[in-house]
């Protein structure tokens, strides 16, 4: 795409009342938290035995899976170099980088220090997640709500340590780390006592979060789920549970696009929950059948999400992270395409003639609103995206495909 093409596109958008330069500038300042677990199929780097799947499954066996922290960082460096802008890394607690063998209730900041040094060198922020799955003490699909007090205390201590690690990461990098809490707790068949399990979960969370930590360094977030493998009948940490908890306790509320019924519109939830919580964490995914975590496309769901963030002025209150894992295709390509699709959706939303659309809707002129939303689909968004990539010094189009293929060939021998 040439500069001439962009100049022509800028004029077209100006005719509709949209400023392409303002949109590019705004997009360049929106960080997206890239999830580490796409690069190694959610395996992690723990050296302690006794771990298990815990309902987390990546399908496929494409060559090139990262087997060490260094390989994962190399893959991430390539991916970031093909994604415009400056972003973040979302790290799970099972991705420690150490020769030690701590159990989950023994991890400390030093076990993750290499990640912090690397993030500083790369100019990235870090986010963090306790890992409440794939462990012998999670085999019952119960952790913080387990009837056994000893198991609850094990996971409470893990959560405490993760908060401290995240806070130290945020302090070291000068950017608050979002520490997101998701537990797999639930029942495969219909329980007779949901209340006790939810009371145990609430008490465990209260204990885990009891020590105040500086929000300039770390932000607590809680994440719900509709159901999961092995907990089809009841998920203890439901959306209603965590929405109420976040409101009462003042935490960030995480909305994962894969954690609701496929017919629910997650974009519609943003403005609703924003009236009751200060900040939102988004896990952007593509659930073809519930929480199947496919690489996101530039589809209606993603574009509606981006439009809601822009039109409801939620960008400054929302932490955008991705959450998918696909081992049937190049893992690095999945990162690159997924993040870029989220950015493309945001750019399209930023380029919509917002004032004209709002004026039409507020005057109940739904015909004009309808015509506008359809006609703007034909505007030259691609030329603006290409200009954005050029300014950020990353490839687009055919050169990007060549780069992705070349890197995949270089890691395919990993086995």
């Amino acid at each position: 795409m040439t500069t001439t093409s962009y100049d022509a596109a800028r004029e077209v958008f100006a005719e509709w009342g949209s400023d392409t330069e303002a949109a590019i500038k705004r997009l360049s300042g929106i960080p997206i938290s890239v999830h580490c677990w796409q690069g190694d199929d959610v395996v992690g780097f723990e050296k302690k035995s006794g771990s298990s799947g815990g309902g987390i499954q990546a399908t496929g066996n494409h060559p090139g899976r990262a087997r060490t922290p260094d390989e994962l960082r190399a893959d991430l460096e390539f991916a970031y170099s093909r994604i415009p802008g400056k972003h973040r890394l979302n790290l799970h607690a099972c991705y420690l980088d150490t020769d030690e063998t701590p159990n989950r209730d023994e991890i400390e900041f030093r076990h993750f220090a290499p990640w912090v040094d690397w993030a500083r060198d790369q100019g990235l922020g870090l986010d963090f997640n306790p890992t409440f799955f794939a462990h012998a003490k999670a085999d019952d699909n119960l952790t913080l709500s387990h009837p056994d007090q000893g198991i609850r205390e094990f996971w409470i201590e893990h959560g405490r340590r993760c908060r401290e690690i995240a806070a130290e990461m945020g302090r070291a990098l000068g950017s608050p780390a979002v520490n997101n809490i998701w537990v797999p707790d639930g029942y495969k068949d219909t329980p007779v006592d949901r209340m006790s399990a939810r009371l145990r979960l609430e008490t465990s969370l209260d204990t885990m979060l009891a020590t105040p930590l500086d929000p300039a360094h770390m932000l607590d977030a809680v994440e719900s789920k509709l159901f999961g493998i092995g907990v089809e009948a009841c998920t203890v940490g439901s959306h209603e549970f965590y929405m109420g908890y976040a409101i009462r306790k003042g935490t960030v509320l995480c909305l994962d696009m894969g954690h609701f019924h496929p017919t629910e519109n997650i974009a519609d939830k943003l403005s609703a929950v924003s009236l009751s919580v200060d900040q939102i964490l988004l896990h952007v995914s593509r659930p073809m059948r519930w929480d199947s975590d496919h690489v996101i496309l530039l589809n209606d769901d993603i574009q509606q999400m981006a439009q809601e963030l822009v039109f409801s002025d939620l960008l400054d209150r929302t932490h955008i992270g991705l959450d998918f894992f696909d081992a049937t295709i190049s893992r690095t390509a999945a990162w690159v395409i997924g993040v870029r699709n989220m950015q493309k959706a945001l750019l399209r939303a930023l380029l919509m003639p917002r004032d004209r659309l709002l004026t039409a809707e507020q005057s109940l002129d739904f015909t004009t609103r309808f015509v506008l939303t359809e006609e703007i689909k034909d505007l030259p968004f691609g030329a603006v995206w290409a200009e954005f990539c050029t300014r950020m010094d990353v490839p687009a189009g055919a050169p990007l495909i060549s780069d992705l293929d070349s890197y995949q060939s270089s890691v395919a021998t990993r086995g």
Side-chain angles (χ1 to χ4, degrees):
M1 198 74 68
T2 65
T3 301
T4 302
S5 299
Y6 170 68
D7 289 341
R10 182 172 58 186
E11 293 179 6
V12 170
F13 278 103
E15 293 172 358
W16 287 80
S18 299
D19 185 342
T20 59
E21 288 296 313
I24 288 174
K25 181 179 179 180
R26 185 69 181 94
L27 181 61
S28 67
I30 301 174
I32 295 174
S33 197
V34 180
H35 53 310
C36 72
W37 50 94
Q38 163 60 35
D40 80 324
D41 307 341
V42 208
V43 175
F45 303 123
E46 292 174 303
K47 296 180 173 65
K48 212 168 183 65
S49 62
S51 65
S52 59
I56 306 297
Q57 180 179 356
T59 54
N61 191 29
H62 200 76
R65 182 182 74 82
R67 301 160 299 182
T68 67
D70 285 338
E71 287 182 351
L72 185 57
R73 284 190 283 264
D75 291 349
L76 284 162
E77 287 178 23
F78 168 76
Y80 284 121
S81 73
R82 300 311 188 265
I83 298 168
K86 276 295 182 183
H87 300 284
R88 305 178 66 83
L89 175 67
N90 198 8
L91 198 65
H92 242 287
C94 60
Y95 285 80
L96 65 175
D97 184 0
T98 177
D99 290 329
E100 300 178 42
T101 58
N103 209 330
R104 299 262 178 95
D105 63 342
E106 300 168 330
I107 57 174
E108 297 181 13
F109 174 75
R110 70 174 187 274
H111 299 134
F112 300 88
W115 283 106
V116 177
D117 294 339
W118 173 81
R120 185 184 294 108
D121 290 343
Q122 298 294 315
L124 302 169
L126 286 178
D127 296 309
F128 204 57
N129 308 260
T131 306
F132 288 97
F133 55 85
H135 190 279
K137 290 186 182 292
D139 279 348
D140 294 322
N141 283 327
L142 294 169
T143 60
L144 294 178
S145 70
H146 202 289
D148 186 305
Q149 182 177 348
I151 290 179
R152 293 200 306 275
E153 289 176 351
F154 173 89
W155 289 114
I156 289 170
E157 182 61 23
H158 174 64
R160 281 198 193 105
R161 288 172 178 261
C162 287
R163 294 183 72 230
E164 293 169 356
I165 291 166
E168 186 63 20
M169 287 177 171
R171 186 202 63 76
L173 297 173
S175 175
V178 179
N179 184 60
N180 184 50
I181 300 165
W182 173 79
V183 298
D185 294 37
Y187 299 94
K188 183 177 179 65
D189 220 330
T190 306
V192 296
D193 186 9
R194 291 176 170 86
M195 179 62 81
S196 292
R198 286 179 170 141
L199 286 171
R200 289 192 296 267
L201 176 56
E202 180 181 52
T203 300
S204 294
L205 289 167
D206 287 348
T207 304
M208 195 170 71
L209 304 179
T211 302
L213 295 175
D214 191 342
H217 299 155
M218 190 280 299
L219 299 169
D220 292 301
V222 290
E223 177 181 355
S224 67
K225 199 163 190 174
L226 177 61
F227 71 93
I229 299 172
V231 293
E232 292 85 356
C234 171
T235 299
V236 181
S238 64
H239 174 58
E240 292 76 12
F241 174 91
Y242 278 123
M243 184 168 65
Y245 191 88
I247 293 169
R248 295 196 313 275
K249 307 296 182 176
T251 71
V252 178
L253 179 65
C254 177
L255 300 177
D256 186 308
M257 293 182 69
H259 287 191
F260 295 88
H261 192 280
T263 61
E264 289 188 83
N265 183 351
I266 312 308
D268 180 61
K269 298 181 185 299
L270 290 171
S271 59
V273 301
S274 71
L275 299 175
S276 299
V277 298
D278 290 333
Q279 298 186 62
I280 299 167
L281 170 61
L282 270 183
H283 276 189
V284 185
S285 183
R286 178 167 57 100
M288 294 185 79
R289 291 291 185 271
W290 169 70
D291 193 23
S292 47
D293 286 320
H294 291 68
V295 182
I296 65 173
L297 304 176
L298 188 59
N299 59 13
D300 288 346
D301 291 341
I302 300 302
Q303 291 187 84
Q304 288 175 15
M305 182 76 74
Q307 180 182 330
E308 190 69 21
L309 291 172
V310 171
F311 277 54
S312 295
D313 289 322
L314 292 175
L315 282 171
D316 291 333
R317 296 171 54 191
T318 303
H319 308 269
I320 303 174
L322 304 188
D323 186 2
F324 53 76
F325 39 98
D326 189 342
T328 68
I329 62 176
S330 165
R331 296 166 183 82
T332 48
W335 268 326
V336 173
I337 299 305
V339 178
R340 288 166 66 111
N341 277 342
M342 186 69 240
Q343 291 180 291
K344 287 180 181 180
L346 289 166
L347 180 62
R348 284 174 172 261
L350 291 165
L351 287 170
M352 293 178 71
R354 180 183 177 188
D355 291 344
R356 292 181 67 179
L357 285 163
L358 292 176
T359 297
E361 183 166 283
Q362 290 165 5
S363 62
L364 306 183
D365 185 358
F366 301 140
T367 301
T368 296
R369 183 189 64 182
F370 183 81
V371 173
L372 283 172
T373 56
E374 292 308 298
E375 287 298 306
I376 60 178
K377 293 177 181 177
D378 297 326
L379 298 184
F381 295 100
V384 184
W385 170 256
E387 177 69 14
F388 178 60
C389 289
T390 297
R391 295 185 188 185
M392 297 291 109
D393 196 27
V394 301
L400 175 64
I401 296 172
S402 177
D403 282 357
L404 295 176
D405 288 343
S406 178
Y407 188 81
Q408 174 57 35
S409 295
S410 73
V411 301
T413 56
R414 288 177 183 170

